[in-house]
Amino acid sequence: MSNTAQSAPLQIAELRHDIEHHEHLYYVLDQPVLTDAQYDKLIHQLQALEAKHPDLVTPDSPTQRVGGKPKDGFSKVAHSRPMLSLDNAYNEAELRAWADRVQSSLHSSDTLQYVCEYKLDGLSLALHYGPAQHGGTRLLYGLTRGDGTTGEDVTSNVRTIKSIPLVISAAKLEQAGLPQTFEVRGECVMPQSAFLKLNEERERAGIAPAANPRNAAAGTIRTVEPSIVAQRRLDFYAYFLLNSAAAGNSAAAAGPDFLLPEQSAALDALKAAGFRANPSTRTVSTIDEVLAFIAEAEPERDKLGYEIDGIVIKVNSTTQQRRLGFTGKAPRWAIAYKFPARGAVTQLLDVLFQVGRTGKLTPVAALAPIPIGGITVARATLHNPDEIARLGVRIGDFVAVERGGDVIPKITEVVEDAAHPRGTQPIVFPSRCPRCRELVVRAEEEIDFRCVNASCPARLSEELLHYASRGVMNIEGLGESMVSQLMGHPLNAPTSLADIESDADAVVNVDPAESKDEQTAAEPTRRALVHTVADLYRLTESDLVALDRVGSKTAQSLLAEIDRSRRAPLYRVLLGLGIRHVGDRTAQDLANTFGSLDSIMTASQEELLKAEGIGPIVASTIHEFFAIAKNRVLVEDLRKCGLQFTAEKKIVGTAFAGLTFVLTGTLPTLTRDEAKQRIESAGGKVSGTVSKKTSYVVAGDEAGSKLEKAQQLNVPVLDEPGLLNLLST
Ligand code: IVH
């Protein structure tokens, strides 16, 4: 092959065509024919040619999947038509009731077909395609769902998802029967393997792991650095084909305007055009057949490699869909059948105790390992002694374990048939701390047991992790492994609960008498660099590079993060002190009312009580905290380190004065913190519990008992657009 300038355009075109073909085989069809090395070679050839002929580089080239980052975050773009959600059915009866409603709304002579599709557990995206050269089409832009009306333009990140075609040739369009302009909607998911890899990386970097693949995918798509998005594998499964040529406000009112007369035909066309669609969809005519599909699909969900949380059933005919229309937020022509949470029965082998920042002992169930939904579960949280009593669970019992969308499973009940087989043991809280061997006490009227030793190493590591966490000092890079090294443990020594658990010799026995001589905590094997949070501010680069696996780049960025935390506002400093009962809200109330740490420290209990939102228990714990000399020494030390001890004057609006809001579920665009801040800066309050005094409950996806409570108490419920509306009026 010659590399003359004349043949370059042709060579480039051929290479691109080949690469697109192989990307489709690999990322969409899962049928690669090239080895990775062969594929890389093609990419390198193309890169080399494009480097020689920069004028021939186009944004659709496979080399351009990772382009520039968006300049000022993501811009907001209106959707062609609203992106709605789906109503749910949780059992056969609800599904049949939906089908009856559908049938009775249509002409009796109509024949009905349903399309069954996997309900992928990720986030929805809207992709807009428009004319490209030679009669083909290309990706113009991609939007998140946002509030359903307006989404965020995440095009630069969408382009990095290799199962999304950047260009589609005229020939393929023709084969698929598609015009040059259309809109595709579908679900962006993170495969389980990519999710596990991401969490391992986060753990190494000292960042809290993502709770589930959905959150990880949503976080990734909103990352402003496309090269990071490209490193994590995201996939896209198309489930809707819309006619963007006909889009407009009137169409929005009338509902989606489909390109093809049937959903099943749309899925076929999308596949033919090179998209990944649900791997298993089925068009059927009766609800019995729908139920059969559901029964077949459920056992498959563990083998897919990505999460599905149910089956979406759609009326196949788009004419019928139009006739059925929409209720407030969901189409009448579709329903999501949700799978029950995945669970299994296994035996409780032992209970381990984790010591938290406040010295609280949290019981963790050690289970006979059992696979649930593709993950081997060996641990479950037991929360506290009350939960153990409620469950009536004993060591040796067989228990039902449930795993929701999240990683940490829970025990839901003791399996009665097998309950209390011979030889089961009661769960006894240890009388000595499993980490430092100091006394463990349970104060009157308190639920929890606590280690009394304020200098317990378990406490210090938790304190440091709390101090560094998001929402407190936000020190990125100060995670478990860094903390344990700063405390003087080499990397391979068991220091976290996870480590202790995995070290068979170090399992914390529940019976203190038996475990007295056991070596449960790792002894520091080198000098501790950090004894209090203030010590963080005295760390130097040479301290850090002496640790295992810390280079000067890591050291410098951690030091920069620590330095940045000196400017954190007063309420975060207060949070960082880790005073019991002082959460985000209380810390802000204290900072707002008293204006400085000195005034809070010297306030009497009565004065504290007078402050907004401070009750007698909180007032007394704050007072007790500052009465302890060691804590006052720490505060003085932090003052010397240059932390913010006075509050910036907060400008608070009055629009929401006197109103109390409760947030529940996941809002489409705002994080909990953002929603809270918006409400508070309008003068409103955010509370954690719904009561008759609650003015509004703001409910997002998967809102639970708080939403039910609101409905019982007739408290008005807002969704995110409703809240934003209220804020803007
Ligand atoms: S159709 C009019 N099909 O589920 C709304 N949605 O709970 C139509 N989802 O926001 C959505 N798989 O993000 C549809 N096969 C599928 C789906 C699916 C997952 C998501 C989607 C939607 C949410 C609603």
Side-chain angles (χ1 to χ4, degrees):
M1 215 193 283
S2 87
N3 265 348
T4 62
Q6 254 176 337
S7 65
L10 201 65
Q11 280 182 39
I12 286 180
E14 274 179 12
L15 272 170
R16 285 183 188 165
H17 181 269
D18 281 358
I19 292 169
E20 278 155 17
H21 173 64
H22 288 293
E23 285 186 348
H24 183 243
L25 287 175
Y26 184 96
Y27 290 103
V28 177
L29 303 180
D30 277 334
Q31 288 162 355
V33 296
L34 294 188
T35 63
D36 287 2
Q38 287 168 325
Y39 169 81
D40 288 347
K41 199 170 156 200
L42 290 179
I43 289 277
H44 291 147
Q45 280 176 1
L46 179 58
Q47 279 169 336
L49 271 173
E50 287 181 344
K52 260 198 202 161
H53 306 279
D55 50 316
L56 296 178
V57 180
T58 66
D60 313 323
S61 170
T63 59
Q64 302 301 304
R65 282 200 180 264
V66 184
K69 46 174 148 177
K71 270 187 227 82
D72 307 305
F74 304 113
S75 51
K76 298 243 155 80
V77 177
H79 286 301
S80 63
R81 310 137 177 102
M83 282 184 93
L84 301 166
S85 61
L86 292 169
D87 286 333
N88 295 325
Y90 292 94
N91 52 43
E92 183 181 335
E94 288 175 9
L95 186 61
R96 288 192 189 277
W98 168 76
D100 289 344
R101 285 197 299 277
V102 166
Q103 231 134 18
S104 60
S105 311
L106 294 172
H107 302 304
S108 52
S109 58
D110 275 5
T111 48
L112 243 175
Q113 280 190 324
Y114 306 103
V115 179
C116 309
E117 300 171 13
Y118 287 166
K119 184 171 191 304
L120 298 140
D121 199 8
L123 69 143
S124 42
L125 292 177
L127 309 180
H128 291 258
Y129 283 82
Q133 282 173 330
H134 314 300
T137 184
R138 65 190 186 93
L139 174 69
L140 301 178
Y141 58 96
L143 308 177
T144 61
R145 176 170 184 262
D147 63 7
T149 311
T150 311
E152 279 182 314
D153 181 342
V154 288
T155 312
S156 48
N157 290 341
V158 162
R159 301 177 68 85
T160 68
I161 302 174
K162 297 222 179 70
S163 44
I164 293 179
L166 297 179
V167 281
I168 303 169
S169 68
K172 264 203 172 168
L173 282 182
E174 197 185 310
Q175 201 189 335
L178 292 183
Q180 280 179 290
T181 305
F182 56 87
E183 178 181 346
V184 175
R185 291 185 181 178
E187 199 82 348
C188 170
V189 300
M190 182 176 281
Q192 275 148 353
S193 57
F195 170 70
L196 293 176
K197 186 166 152 260
L198 171 67
N199 269 358
E200 276 166 26
E201 284 166 12
R202 292 177 70 110
E203 170 71 21
R204 241 175 281 132
I207 310 167
N212 54 49
R214 175 174 15 94
N215 288 4
T220 301
I221 208 74
R222 298 186 70 249
T223 305
V224 281
E225 186 56 73
S227 61
I228 292 178
V229 183
Q231 281 163 23
R232 302 186 189 160
R233 176 149 182 204
L234 291 178
D235 271 336
F236 177 79
Y237 291 86
Y239 55 63
F240 260 149
L241 174 63
L242 301 173
N243 176 5
S244 45
N249 286 335
S250 55
D257 207 350
F258 296 98
L259 269 172
L260 294 168
E262 285 174 345
Q263 168 68 5
S264 52
L267 291 175
D268 289 341
L270 286 165
K271 275 186 218 159
F275 289 92
R276 215 180 231 267
N278 267 216
S280 159
T281 59
R282 189 180 297 168
T283 310
V284 300
S285 312
T286 65
I287 286 297
D288 286 333
E289 289 169 293
V290 170
L291 287 164
F293 181 84
I294 293 171
E296 284 168 44
E298 207 179 333
E300 289 302 306
R301 65 193 288 219
D302 299 340
K303 304 178 199 146
L304 296 172
Y306 51 84
E307 296 282 340
I308 63 171
D309 59 349
I311 299 295
V312 182
I313 302 112
K314 299 172 182 169
V315 168
N316 195 19
S317 149
T318 50
T319 316
Q320 288 175 345
Q321 288 183 5
R322 213 164 295 137
R323 229 180 291 146
L324 287 160
F326 299 83
T327 60
K329 63 171 183 62
R332 285 199 192 87
W333 43 262
I335 192 140
Y337 178 92
K338 290 294 229 18
F339 290 138
R342 282 179 289 198
V345 172
T346 188
Q347 195 174 20
L348 176 64
L349 299 179
D350 200 355
V351 173
L352 312 165
F353 294 91
Q354 185 173 26
V355 187
R357 178 171 53 87
T358 55
K360 174 182 152 181
L361 268 64
T362 302
V364 179
L367 303 166
I370 184 152
I372 306 181
I375 289 182
T376 301
V377 171
R379 298 280 175 263
T381 172
L382 278 166
H383 301 292
N384 56 44
D386 280 6
E387 174 73 358
I388 292 172
R390 188 185 72 78
L391 290 165
V393 60
R394 293 161 61 98
I395 294 168
D397 273 344
F398 283 85
V399 290
V401 182
E402 239 177 43
R403 193 167 72 82
D406 289 357
V407 177
I408 302 172
K410 62 174 187 223
I411 293 180
T412 51
E413 60 180 355
V414 173
V415 177
E416 286 303 332
D417 292 347
H420 309 328
R422 261 198 301 163
T424 61
Q425 299 289 322
I427 297 168
V428 183
F429 272 65
S431 55
R432 298 225 162 239
C433 171
R435 274 303 280 277
C436 70
R437 305 269 131 216
E438 267 287 0
L439 274 182
V440 162
V441 297
R442 185 190 206 180
E444 226 176 296
E445 305 207 357
E446 281 251 347
I447 294 172
D448 296 307
F449 287 88
R450 284 171 208 284
C451 160
V452 295
N453 177 9
S455 317
C456 174
R459 279 198 187 199
L460 177 58
S461 62
E462 291 298 317
E463 261 164 34
L464 290 166
L465 289 169
H466 165 78
Y467 192 78
S469 64
R470 228 193 268 170
V472 184
M473 286 296 178
N474 214 354
I475 303 175
E476 209 156 295
L478 191 57
E480 279 202 20
S481 68
M482 179 61 82
V483 161
S484 78
Q485 290 208 69
L486 292 175
M487 287 176 61
H489 306 287
L491 254 188
N492 58 1
T495 49
S496 68
L497 178 77
D499 292 336
I500 292 170
E501 286 175 11
S502 60
D503 181 344
D505 292 334
V507 164
V508 180
N509 201 302
V510 284
D511 182 349
E514 267 178 50
S515 60
K516 209 172 260 167
D517 305 323
E518 247 179 81
Q519 191 67 16
T520 55
E523 290 305 323
T525 53
R526 66 171 160 224
R527 186 174 66 90
L529 293 169
V530 171
H531 302 93
T532 71
V533 292
D535 287 340
L536 292 173
Y537 297 95
R538 289 182 280 267
L539 288 171
T540 64
E541 192 177 331
S542 61
D543 285 339
L544 293 177
V545 293
L547 302 175
D548 295 341
R549 285 201 262 155
V550 180
S552 72
K553 215 171 142 201
T554 309
Q556 282 168 15
S557 64
L558 178 58
L559 290 175
E561 284 283 310
I562 293 173
D563 189 44
R564 199 175 47 79
S565 75
R566 287 184 226 257
R567 295 186 291 279
L570 172 63
Y571 83 90
R572 290 194 182 232
V573 178
L574 269 168
L575 274 177
L577 291 175
I579 308 170
R580 278 181 66 205
H581 306 304
V582 177
D584 200 62
R585 168 89 228 180
T586 310
Q588 290 192 37
D589 282 343
L590 286 167
N592 276 341
T593 315
F594 292 93
S596 76
L597 193 52
D598 290 286
S599 320
I600 299 167
M601 272 211 294
T602 51
S604 67
Q605 271 197 61
E606 291 68 41
E607 283 167 327
L608 286 166
L609 259 177
K610 273 188 225 142
E612 276 262 349
I614 312 282
I617 295 178
V618 188
S620 87
T621 49
I622 296 169
H623 195 69
E624 275 165 28
F625 181 89
F626 290 114
I628 296 171
K630 187 174 153 235
N631 293 334
R632 286 202 308 271
V633 171
L634 175 65
V635 168
E636 287 319 309
D637 207 358
L638 288 173
R639 190 198 308 272
K640 278 192 223 124
C641 298
L643 271 74
Q644 302 292 315
F645 271 34
T646 51
E648 283 166 28
K649 259 272 150 286
K650 200 169 135 187
I651 304 159
V652 174
T654 52
F656 282 6
L659 299 182
T660 304
F661 293 73
V662 173
L663 301 168
T664 176
T666 317
L667 298 177
T669 66
L670 295 176
T671 64
R672 240 336 128 98
D673 268 354
E674 283 162 358
K676 192 161 170 244
Q677 264 170 21
R678 302 276 285 264
I679 292 167
E680 286 174 351
S681 56
K685 272 196 181 183
V686 177
S687 150
T689 40
V690 182
S691 73
K692 268 190 255 159
K693 289 188 198 152
T694 309
S695 320
Y696 293 98
V697 167
V698 182
D701 260 6
E702 318 224 319
S705 57
K706 289 180 187 171
L707 181 59
E708 277 169 32
K709 187 90 190 277
Q711 283 155 353
Q712 275 166 22
L713 296 176
N714 271 330
V715 172
V717 178
L718 295 173
D719 56 5
E720 185 184 284
L723 172 68
L724 295 174
N725 224 339
L726 204 64
L727 278 162
S728 64
T729 46

